[in-house]
Amino acid sequence: MPKRTSGADPAALVRFVIVTLDAHLVAAAQRSRTRLPSLPALDLQIFAAADWETNPAAAQRCLGAVAEADFVVVTQIFIEEQVRLLAPALAARREQCDAMVCALSAGEIVRNTRLGGFDMLGTGEDGERPSPWSAAAILKRLRGSSGPGHTSGESQMRQLRRIPQLLRFIPGTAQDVRAYYLMLQYWLAGSEENLAGMMSYLVNRYADGPRRGYRGALPVEPPREYPEVGVYHPSLPGNHLADDPRELAGVGPAAGASRGTVGVLLMRSYLLAGNAAHYDAVIRALEARGLRTVPAFAYGLDNRPAIDRCFRTAGGATAVDAVVSLTGFSLVGGPAFNDAPAAHEALTALDVPYLTAQSLEFQSVEEWRADARGLNPLQATLQVALPELDGATGPVVYGGKTAGTDDARPVTERVERLAERVARLVALRRTARSERRVGIVLFNFPPNAGNTGTAAYLSVFESLYRTLEAMRDQGYTVELPASVDALRARVIHGNADRFGTPANVHARIPADVHVRRETWLPEIERAWGPAPGRQNSDGASILVLGERFGNVFVGIQPAFGYEGDPMRLMFEGSFAPTHAFSAFYRWLREDFGASALLHYGTHGALEFMPGKQAGLSGECWPDRLIGDVPNIYLYASNNSSEGTLAKRRAAATLVSYLTPPIAH
């Protein structure tokens, strides 16, 4: 939200407006005001365009401020609705203000830049050919191909530092072009010091009219440099940043005593702005579970340099057991675009689990909690759908801006869930295959109609038998039946006739045990009556259907409860799964002690349970039921919409069993 400096002298008032995508630099910019005693009449207003969708009044305040501004800085405005709203206001004010800097945004925004004689779309002296010093020409160089062994981000950062040096001694408009690239340096290293330096530099160079007395009279510090690639930790001294990962050796669990190592990707701009409380909470939660963390950052929005420097050994081997991205965006490209092939190449080389978690950039924590969808469409697209193209799994909301604050805060319960899931993934990776317990869930829909172990486009028992064979051959403890028919008979028949059930009864959970152990019993009883309920029940116990084969349990997922209207469960928020459904997943987690679950075929009911659509909370049933257990889902790739539900609502990693011709 905008903040003003009161008591300014109108004769010397400097109206400075900053418009950017989100609020993560707002507090740092406000704090930087205290570093500008030579600008006592500074009226600083900062606007986050991410607020405009839910707060149209904020958008109108921004447009009003731009219409009166003396200095305007705009960055990271590329979403069509925001561009369409802001671009006309910038064009209208462009010639009246002292200076306007627009960068890292859509072309309709960037072309409004005006710094002295610098024309963003400028031409050469003949009025026809592009000037070699126009932004268009220099940006073309910045977009040039990177050299061998360097990412495009590395190349661009080298160019960004080099251009002001090249232009330093060239007179005329080149000095205004130089000013533009210095503005980028200040902004991209947006600490309090650099944000103060950016404002002081612009006013000192371009103040005009009643403000002309400031021109050449203000102290100006050059952009302060920070590590462009390195590590962060709240226990590191000073600004908590280091360019050498070895400096983490003295913080967190010792490498020899840890239960594993997690690479954590952070946004450098948040760290420089001092906006890292949500990052700190995740780091501390992981370390509380005995995990060593390597929190790493890179300049810009390409995380590959951080991976190469911090998550690999000197010889190039993978040095982490999992990677968690707290940036909330694509691995390569951030919110503006997605380079999935580049991300796929980097992640394939690492070959460890990769999770993305979301800090709420485009809605507040309160808005997220109150929204039945969870994440709003913009946030779901940028922070869930695009990272999924990279191969990201397990989306979890872990922090965000709360009402009345500008800096992000952790959502503690979600931070704990994220840390639990990461710890389980690392433990799975480090456990010998012979010791892993795997729960395989088969479906029975519609129930009681001979459909146990069916799935779209999949011969379930034949495929399951081959899966068990492969697991046995790779070191898992599997007691394999003699044939597919024998497997089917043990799962579907067994003692089913004695209990009058559609499959073998493997375990019985007495009603009093269920009542004592069911965390959400009141919610279930409101929907389905007292325990043990009618589904998978003999009146005294809840029946767990399936059969165990060594360290593998093949279970039959209980029915929805509303087979004639399965969507009813998901869209009527007051509903709950049946006693049998909740008890089945609790038994897998706690009694069988599953190291991982494999949902076998398309499709089950877990992902249709009540709760938010994306960005689930602890009140959402899919999150409650799967808990922290790693979930792999063998799914039909031609059913992408329901597969998406499984990924976003049940923390599933999808593996398709369709060949490409069928999938298409």
Side-chain angles (χ1 to χ4, degrees), residues 118-202:
F118 173 40
D119 180 357
M120 179 56 75
L121 300 178
T123 58
E125 295 180 359
D126 60 7
E128 296 180 1
R129 291 174 298 172
S131 166
W133 300 115
S134 71
I138 297 176
L139 282 170
K140 184 176 181 180
R141 299 180 206 173
L142 281 173
R143 289 194 297 266
S145 60
S146 55
H150 296 284
T151 67
S152 60
E154 288 174 313
S155 174
Q156 290 172 357
M157 292 302 295
R158 288 198 309 274
Q159 292 275 27
L160 182 59
R161 291 190 298 269
R162 185 181 303 155
I163 287 171
Q165 298 172 356
L166 293 175
L167 299 178
R168 186 175 180 182
F169 300 107
I170 300 176
T173 303
Q175 291 305 301
D176 298 317
V177 177
R178 179 174 184 268
Y180 181 78
Y181 289 96
L182 285 174
M183 289 302 99
L184 287 177
Q185 288 188 30
Y186 281 120
W187 181 263
L188 290 174
S191 62
E192 291 180 33
E193 296 90 336
N194 278 340
L195 293 173
M198 177 187 75
M199 290 184 280
S200 183
Y201 182 92
L202 277 179

Side-chain angles (χ1 to χ4, degrees), residues 225-231 239 241-244 268 272 297-299 309:
E225 294 186 0
Y226 300 92
E228 292 178 353
V229 180
V231 292
N239 62 10
L241 303 180
D243 56 8
D244 190 341
R268 178 173 177 264
L272 295 180
F297 61 86
Y299 44 77
R309 178 178 296 184

Side-chain angles (χ1 to χ4, degrees), residues 229-481:
V229 180
V231 292
Y232 164 89
H233 197 282
S235 296
L236 286 175
N239 62 10
H240 312 302
L241 303 180
D243 56 8
D244 190 341
R246 289 176 295 183
E247 295 193 36
L248 292 175
V251 297
S258 73
R259 297 179 180 176
T261 302
V262 180
V264 184
L265 292 172
L266 313 175
M267 288 193 75
R268 178 173 177 264
S269 59
Y270 271 82
L271 302 175
L272 295 180
N275 186 357
H278 54 328
Y279 291 165
D280 295 350
V282 175
I283 292 167
R284 298 299 192 194
L286 291 170
E287 292 179 347
R289 287 158 175 81
L291 297 170
R292 178 173 174 265
T293 63
V294 184
F297 61 86
Y299 44 77
L301 298 168
D302 183 347
N303 289 285
R304 289 174 295 174
I307 290 173
D308 291 341
R309 178 178 296 184
C310 305
F311 299 167
R312 299 186 186 281
T313 65
T318 299
V320 296
D321 296 292
V323 173
V324 180
S325 174
L326 300 186
T327 71
F329 298 117
S330 301
L331 186 74
V332 183
F337 73 97
N338 172 274
D339 189 346
H344 181 266
E345 181 180 1
L347 293 172
T348 299
L350 277 180
D351 193 25
V352 297
Y354 173 59
L355 292 82
T356 58
Q358 292 71 45
S359 177
L360 299 168
E361 305 286 353
F362 309 107
Q363 58 195 125
S364 68
V365 172
E366 293 81 5
E367 289 168 340
W368 162 71
R369 290 193 187 280
D371 196 329
R373 301 169 302 179
L375 301 180
N376 64 30
L378 176 60
Q379 188 124 327
T381 299
L382 297 182
Q383 294 199 311
V384 178
L386 289 180
E388 283 175 347
L389 298 177
D390 299 342
T393 62
V396 176
V397 171
Y398 71 96
K401 183 178 67 172
T402 59
T405 67
D406 292 315
D407 281 351
R409 295 289 183 267
V411 179
T412 302
E413 178 265 329
R414 294 285 83 195
V415 168
E416 295 299 310
R417 173 64 85 207
L418 174 62
E420 289 163 3
R421 286 183 177 168
V422 174
R424 288 294 296 271
L425 282 168
V426 172
L428 176 63
R429 177 179 171 84
R430 295 167 72 91
T431 299
R433 290 176 179 175
S434 62
E435 298 176 10
R436 297 175 186 173
R437 293 191 174 191
V438 179
I440 299 179
V441 180
L442 307 185
F443 310 128
N444 177 27
F445 183 84
N448 304 316
N451 294 312
T452 304
T454 58
Y457 301 109
L458 183 66
S459 181
V460 171
F461 282 101
E462 288 80 356
S463 299
L464 176 59
Y465 192 85
R466 293 184 181 183
T467 299
L468 294 175
E469 277 187 316
M471 292 175 67
R472 180 200 60 189
D473 294 345
Q474 294 181 29
Y476 289 83
T477 302
V478 180
E479 296 173 3
L480 191 66

Side-chain angles (χ1 to χ4, degrees), residues 84-96:
R84 189 165 55 243
L85 185 67
L86 184 60
L90 297 175
R93 187 60 183 171
R94 183 176 184 270
E95 299 300 328
Q96 283 71 46

